[in-house]
Structure formats: structure tokens, C-alpha cells
Amino acid sequence: MARADSRTKLNRRKFLAGVTIVGAAAPQVANAAIVGEVPAVKSRRSALRPSAQVAAAEVGTPAVPAISEGTPASDFMVDVIKSLDIAYVPCNPADSFRGLHESLINYGGNKKPEFLTCTHEEASVAMAHGYFKIAGKPLLVCVHGTVGLQHAAMAIYNAWCDRVPVIVIGGNDLDASKRPPGVPTFHSAQDIAALVREFTKWDDQPVSLPHFAQSFVRAYKLAMTPPHEPVMIALDAELQESTTHERAKLAIPRYVPTSPPQGDANAVREAARLLANAERPVIVADKCARTAGGVKLLVELAEALQAPVIDQKGRMNFPNTHHLSQNARGRALIGQADVIIGLELSDYWATVNGHIDNGEDDGAGLNESHIKPDAKLISISSILLNTKSNYQDFQRFQVVDVEMAADAEATLPALIEAVRQALPAGRKAAIEARGQAVKKAWSEARERTRVAASYAWDASPISTARMAMEVYAQIKDLDWSSVGGDRQLSAWPTRLWPMDKHYHHIGGPGGYGVGYGLPAAVGAALATRDAGRLSVNFQPDGDLMFSPGVLWTAARHKIPLLSVMHNNRGYHQETMHVQRMSNRRNRVAFVGKDLGPLGTRIENPDIDYAKLASSMGAYSAGPITDPKYLAPALKKAVEAVKAGEPALVDVVTQPR
């Protein structure tokens, strides 16, 4: 495949000058024998209205613009950004932040941060979302006024729900007396941040360079203090494009990380007492482990209690190779528990209750508790510190007995120490016996999962379990990260692959907004590339079509990523919803055939994702319908990724 860096490099100005010379001397072209006689060039009438100004513009030499004295204001802004060690700026370019853009690439040298060209603002933010979940550092994303921010809003909401920091700059032409009429005015607002204020942690609109410096550092600090969330700065174009004569007097505030909030000491001791004296304690973690250290701390807590852990997989919280990993028995364990501790749970209510969509007339469905009436519930969650009222990402209300508004990972060291002190001396044998019983259950559950994965092994379309294991066979000896979700393919990778490192998977989208998957995977792959690892992404077909242009971004910026299509040729979840409604209303029997797939299938014509990826500059293979061809195709794709290319293998699969 041709690469951008292997093509002949030409100086654009010299090339255009050469074209002019050749055009003027057409009869004497050296290779006329090859190209044939060059016909006379006919002049064409301008598409613009004839006027003296148009004529001068077409034939005259443009005047050299006056160069403003002083330092461009946006150069100082770049100095502020560089002080925070931001690595990349994924953006779709726009005139409302052209001053900052120019300074980033020319004054800033396009390094730390590097400008990454994106084809959609939603993809830009989603890339930053995925990047953080591997690198643990936020990226800067610039968006264009009202329209760019509306494009980005879904991805910002995903990051909000997933507790991920993204630094968003929204370009804006604030002064109505100076902004150009027409399009720039359509794209401006008095308060552009109002579009996303309900799902950002903080925003500001600086009116001076000292104000910008303080706001940007403050925004970074707030974003990086748990709970991590997106923040936004509305940046006036006039301020960017102004100049300053006082650069030496402009100070950049020093960034000092804020210590994450920890649980109250009394609440920690009470939680430890309940856990230490419990007969059947259960640990449930969702977005608990922010770092590799968080995984180790959770293992320490679980081993001290020999308590089973249910990992809801908002992050890589707990090794599935550990015998205390008990996801397969989660419902039963919660039902038997006398003490349950939830660590950064997105939905505590759904953890201990069930909702059955049974079609009752009031639409409420059937709700039932899964826990014993006397079970004690403990919660450690930082989201209590930043809950807002409008968007319902905080889920249903659940009463708990000990609740700490604190960062779970930061609180774990104190909790572990308190548990060790609270454990009764005579309970050691009972705790060890509990661990042995859990170990036996873990082995049995793993075997049941392997058996389940073997069903329809040779089927066509290809089973999602076989697809997952064929991929693992190609990467198992490499240092890898799974940078996409697996919920839509029955979670086979997180059920079958051994995952014991914090970067082995990154969790889902947060707000479940479609279009997150591939851009977030590209962003995460950018971080794994810098760490020297290989990235793999299981990519749903419907999700890809929301932002396919990110394939070009990956190819353009040499971001190696293996994307394996979960191509079930439909929005399968919606297919099931329509079928459920049809069954409730007895429509199938009435109509005589199942019309549920209408409006939910992606077929007739079938999309060729391999050709789509190839057109964007990525290596591709497929579509593959016969499982015997899957391994060879994946092997070649992995080699392409190891060589530094993005690759996509289109696999036509079973629905889930």
C-alpha cells in the first residue's frame, strides 16, 4: 500500500511556478513526444461576477500584508498548553481557532502537542476519551463554535458519563461589531458553552491572556481531580489573533495536581468493621481502578477478605485470572451476600435490583430486589461530588448504609489497613475456607464458559466466540491492549482472554452513544503505540458508520490498530426491541411474517467495510463468512499493524 511518506515530495510553490512556465512554453515541452501535442489553453470566464476588484484579484499580484508588531497572543497560549505536557490535539480545522492552530504548528513546532487531523468533531473528542483510558492523561480538542460543539456534544456526554477528562476549546467570534457577517455569525454565540454545560465539570470564557493562562491551568486541574470529567474554554477569535507587547510580563501558573478526595476516617472504619465481620462479603467495582496501582490495591482488599469480586468492567479493575474474579456468578453472589461494597458504581440500583421489561400497561415493567433484606450496602464513589440534575446519568436512587463521597482508588489504602486491623483473630480459618470455595467455583465457571464458546464453532456467519479466540491466537504472545468494548459480542474477550494488566481492556463508552467505538479505539491505540504495545478493537458495524473518517486519521498519522468487524449487518439491539414490541402486540401473527428487521438492518446493499477501510488508506481484508479463512486473514492484518499501519478485517458474524 502506498504511504504518504514514500511519495515524491514537491515544493508546492515551485511546482505551481513550474506549471506556469510549462504552460507558457507549451510548444517546447521536453516530453511532448510522450504526451502528444499540447493544445492551446482556452481562457475561461470567471465564475465570479465581473468587477474591477475581481479582475485585479485574478491577474494582479496580491499586496504583502502588514505584519503586526509584538508577539501573537496565540503563541503565548501555546506556551500555556505546553506547560501541561499535552501530547496531541485531535481536531477538525476551523477558522474560529485559526490563530491557535497556526501557532500550534508553526510557533509550537507541531510537537507536544501534535495536531491530529480529524474529519469530525465527535471523533476528535472520542479519540481523547480513548487516549485517557490508556495513558491516564487528557488531550486538548478544539471545536468550531456552535456547529462544531454540537457535533462534539455526544462524545462529550459519553466522556461525562464515563468519568473521563477532555479539555475542550471552543472557538468563537464574540464581538458582534467585529465578527464577519454570514457564516461566522451563524457559528457564533454569546455563550457557546451553554450547549454542553450540563455535562461538563467547569467552563470559562477568558477575556485576556492572563485570564486564559489561569483558566487553562484551572481547567486542567479540575479535569484531573476525581471525578474526572470534561471541561471547556470558550476562546474568542479576536483574542487569539491579537498581539501583545508584554510577553515577558505574562506568567503561566504552575500546575500542582490536586490530591484526590479520600473517604472519611470514621466511615472507612465502619466499612472495614462490616466487611471484616461479614460471612459472605462481595466486592463490586465499576470505574474504580484509575491506574495499575488501583488494580493491585483491589487485589489486596479482596485477598485480605477472600471476598469474591464482580468487575462491571467500566475499567480494568481486577484480573480475571485471579480465583476471586467471580463475574460469572455475580447475580447469585449478590443474592447471598450479607455485606456488599460498591466501588465507583455507575448504577448501584441495578447492581442490587432487577428490572424486567415485561410490557405492563403502565410501562414500568417489573422491579425486584436481588439482595437479602438485612444485607448491608457500602459505597465509595467520587461522582457524588459532581452530580448535576438534568441528565440522568446518576441512575436510580439506591439507599446504602455507609456512603462515602470519595475517590475509591485513593481510599483503598486506608480501607485495606482498617480491614486488616478489624479482622477477628479467630476468623482466619473461616476466611481461608471461603477463599478455597470461591477458587473451586472460579475453575468450574471458566470451564462452563469454554464449553459455551465452542457452540456453533464452525458456523457461518461466524460465531462471535470463535472470532474472539481466533484474534487472541494471533496476539497472545504480544504485549496487547483491547481498546474497544465487547458488550455487543457477548463479552467473549473479557470472559475468555486472560486479562491481568490495567491496560488489557478500557471499558465501554459511558453514555452508550453510538459512534464512540472506532474513534475511541484510535485514540487508545495512539497511547498504546507510544507505549510500544499492539491494539485490537472489535468494531460493531453500525457504530463504525457514524464516524468512518477516523480510519483516515489513523492512516494519516500512522496509528497502528487492528479493527475486527463485528459485522452482523444490523442494529441488532434495535432489531430485538422492535421484535419484542411486535410480540407484545401480537403483530407477527396478524401480519403473517416478521417485519421487525425493517428499519434496523444494514443490508441490501451490504456495506463492504474492507473496501471502505482501503479507501481511507488502511490495510484491509474481507468480508469473511467462512471461519476457516479467518486465521490467515488475521495473521496478515496483525503483521500490517506491527509494521505501523491500521488494519481492518471485515468478519460477517452471528448477531451476538
Side-chain angles (χ1 to χ4, degrees), residues 57-208:
E58 290 183 338
V59 301
T61 302
V64 177
I67 300 176
S68 300
E69 295 183 0
T71 301
S74 52
D75 285 3
F76 173 69
M77 295 175 182
V78 170
D79 289 337
V80 175
I81 293 166
K82 282 180 173 288
S83 75
L84 294 165
D85 197 36
I86 294 173
Y88 302 100
V89 184
C91 287
N92 184 258
D95 66 287
S96 63
F97 56 85
R98 65 185 184 180
L100 181 60
H101 184 168
E102 190 278 335
S103 289
L104 284 167
I105 59 177
N106 286 322
Y107 173 73
N110 201 34
K111 292 181 180 179
K112 281 291 183 88
E114 177 186 348
F115 197 98
L116 305 179
T117 310
C118 296
T119 61
H120 197 287
E121 286 89 352
E122 185 174 350
S124 302
V125 176
M127 282 181 63
H129 186 162
Y131 181 89
F132 174 81
K133 292 208 284 186
I134 288 290
K137 299 192 299 183
L139 296 184
L140 169 63
V141 177
C142 298
V143 301
H144 173 53
T146 55
V147 290
L149 189 55
Q150 288 179 84
H151 277 309
M154 180 62 252
I156 295 172
Y157 184 66
N158 271 336
W160 167 267
C161 295
D162 202 22
R163 320 307 172 206
V164 167
V166 181
I167 317 296
V168 180
I169 283 182
N172 191 30
D173 286 284
L174 189 59
D175 190 337
S177 69
K178 296 181 179 179
R179 76 169 75 108
V183 173
T185 301
F186 278 121
H187 295 178
S188 300
Q190 295 180 46
D191 182 11
I192 60 170
L195 286 163
V196 295
R197 186 162 292 136
E198 284 293 325
F199 43 92
T200 50
K201 192 175 190 179
W202 183 80
D203 68 84
D204 197 12
Q205 186 162 276
V207 297
S208 67

Side-chain angles (χ1 to χ4, degrees), residues 71-366:
T71 301
S74 52
D75 285 3
F76 173 69
M77 295 175 182
V78 170
D79 289 337
V80 175
I81 293 166
K82 282 180 173 288
S83 75
L84 294 165
D85 197 36
I86 294 173
Y88 302 100
V89 184
C91 287
N92 184 258
D95 66 287
S96 63
F97 56 85
R98 65 185 184 180
L100 181 60
H101 184 168
E102 190 278 335
S103 289
L104 284 167
I105 59 177
N106 286 322
Y107 173 73
N110 201 34
K111 292 181 180 179
K112 281 291 183 88
E114 177 186 348
F115 197 98
L116 305 179
T117 310
C118 296
T119 61
H120 197 287
E121 286 89 352
E122 185 174 350
S124 302
V125 176
M127 282 181 63
H129 186 162
Y131 181 89
F132 174 81
K133 292 208 284 186
I134 288 290
K137 299 192 299 183
L139 296 184
L140 169 63
V141 177
C142 298
V143 301
H144 173 53
T146 55
V147 290
L149 189 55
Q150 288 179 84
H151 277 309
M154 180 62 252
I156 295 172
Y157 184 66
N158 271 336
W160 167 267
C161 295
D162 202 22
R163 320 307 172 206
V164 167
V166 181
I167 317 296
V168 180
I169 283 182
N172 191 30
D173 286 284
L174 189 59
D175 190 337
S177 69
K178 296 181 179 179
R179 76 169 75 108
V183 173
T185 301
F186 278 121
H187 295 178
S188 300
Q190 295 180 46
D191 182 11
I192 60 170
L195 286 163
V196 295
R197 186 162 292 136
E198 284 293 325
F199 43 92
T200 50
K201 192 175 190 179
W202 183 80
D203 68 84
D204 197 12
Q205 186 162 276
V207 297
S208 67
L209 291 182
H211 188 173
F212 174 84
Q214 293 179 25
S215 289
F216 198 86
V217 175
R218 187 192 302 273
Y220 192 97
K221 277 176 68 71
L222 289 170
M224 286 297 288
T225 303
H228 296 132
E229 299 289 10
V231 293
M232 173 158 180
I233 291 178
L235 189 56
D236 183 34
E238 184 183 6
L239 179 61
Q240 297 173 56
E241 297 179 27
S242 66
T243 56
T244 178
H245 296 275
E246 299 183 337
R247 173 63 185 90
K249 297 180 181 180
L250 293 173
I252 301 173
R254 183 167 56 94
Y255 169 65
V256 180
T258 304
S259 298
Q262 298 183 33
D264 172 74
N266 291 328
V268 168
R269 283 193 293 269
E270 176 60 13
R273 184 187 67 81
L274 291 171
L275 289 166
N277 290 282
E279 295 294 330
R280 294 177 179 272
V282 173
I283 302 169
V284 187
D286 186 9
K287 295 178 171 69
C288 171
R290 295 184 283 101
T291 65
V295 177
K296 294 178 181 178
L297 287 169
L298 189 52
V299 170
E300 280 189 52
L301 177 64
E303 289 181 344
L305 295 163
Q306 286 299 305
V309 177
I310 300 166
D311 189 345
Q312 295 182 340
K313 298 185 290 188
R315 299 289 187 272
M316 169 60 202
N317 295 297
F318 197 80
N320 66 4
T321 54
H322 198 291
H323 71 276
L324 292 173
S325 174
Q326 293 286 315
N327 286 9
R329 300 173 60 233
R331 172 95 175 256
L333 290 169
I334 285 172
Q336 299 164 6
D338 52 355
V339 176
I340 300 169
I341 181 168
L343 304 174
E344 301 287 355
L345 300 191
S346 298
D347 193 347
Y348 210 131
W349 187 92
T351 300
V352 297
N353 293 281
H355 173 80
I356 302 173
D357 184 9
N358 63 353
E360 293 183 356
D361 290 339
D362 62 3
L366 178 64

Side-chain angles (χ1 to χ4, degrees), residues 312-552:
Q312 295 182 340
K313 298 185 290 188
R315 299 289 187 272
M316 169 60 202
N317 295 297
F318 197 80
N320 66 4
T321 54
H322 198 291
H323 71 276
L324 292 173
S325 174
Q326 293 286 315
N327 286 9
R329 300 173 60 233
R331 172 95 175 256
L333 290 169
I334 285 172
Q336 299 164 6
D338 52 355
V339 176
I340 300 169
I341 181 168
L343 304 174
E344 301 287 355
L345 300 191
S346 298
D347 193 347
Y348 210 131
W349 187 92
T351 300
V352 297
N353 293 281
H355 173 80
I356 302 173
D357 184 9
N358 63 353
E360 293 183 356
D361 290 339
D362 62 3
L366 178 64
N367 301 320
E368 59 183 21
S369 174
H370 289 167
I371 59 175
K372 298 191 297 185
D374 59 347
K376 297 294 184 182
L377 305 184
I378 304 166
S379 175
I380 309 177
S381 177
S382 60
I383 198 54
L384 293 168
L385 300 168
N386 197 43
T387 297
K388 296 188 180 182
S389 59
N390 189 20
Y391 292 89
Q392 304 295 294
D393 58 289
F394 46 77
Q395 302 294 322
R396 290 196 183 193
F397 184 77
Q398 176 60 48
V399 176
V400 299
D401 299 282
V402 179
E403 188 162 32
M404 288 173 254
D407 178 63
E409 180 175 318
T411 305
L412 278 177
L415 179 61
I416 292 165
E417 183 60 29
V419 163
R420 287 173 174 157
Q421 292 179 7
L423 282 171
R427 299 277 330 270
K428 184 177 180 180
I431 290 172
E432 289 179 354
R434 183 162 67 208
Q436 290 301 315
V438 170
K439 184 178 293 187
K440 182 174 182 293
W442 176 84
S443 298
E444 292 171 348
R446 294 285 289 179
E447 183 58 31
R448 285 194 300 271
T449 301
R450 282 192 286 267
V451 171
S454 68
Y455 297 149
W457 189 255
D458 295 318
S460 178
I462 296 167
S463 79
T464 52
R466 176 148 187 190
M467 176 176 68
M469 292 313 294
E470 292 282 10
V471 171
Y472 183 68
Q474 300 300 324
I475 68 169
K476 61 184 176 64
D477 296 325
L478 305 173
D479 191 12
W480 55 267
S481 292
S482 177
V483 295
D486 66 358
R487 181 178 63 94
Q488 291 180 315
L489 56 150
S490 302
W492 287 118
T494 47
R495 291 165 66 190
L496 290 168
W497 297 8
M499 294 187 175
D500 56 8
K501 295 181 173 62
H502 75 284
Y503 54 77
H504 272 166
H505 78 83
I506 67 170
Y512 297 97
V514 184
Y516 158 90
L518 186 57
V522 171
L526 179 63
T528 59
R529 180 197 71 180
D530 293 349
R533 295 190 293 268
L534 181 139
S535 299
V536 60
N537 167 45
F538 289 100
Q539 179 57 48
D541 49 351
D543 181 275
L544 182 145
M545 294 309 296
F546 274 62
S547 191
V550 77
L551 286 166
W552 177 87

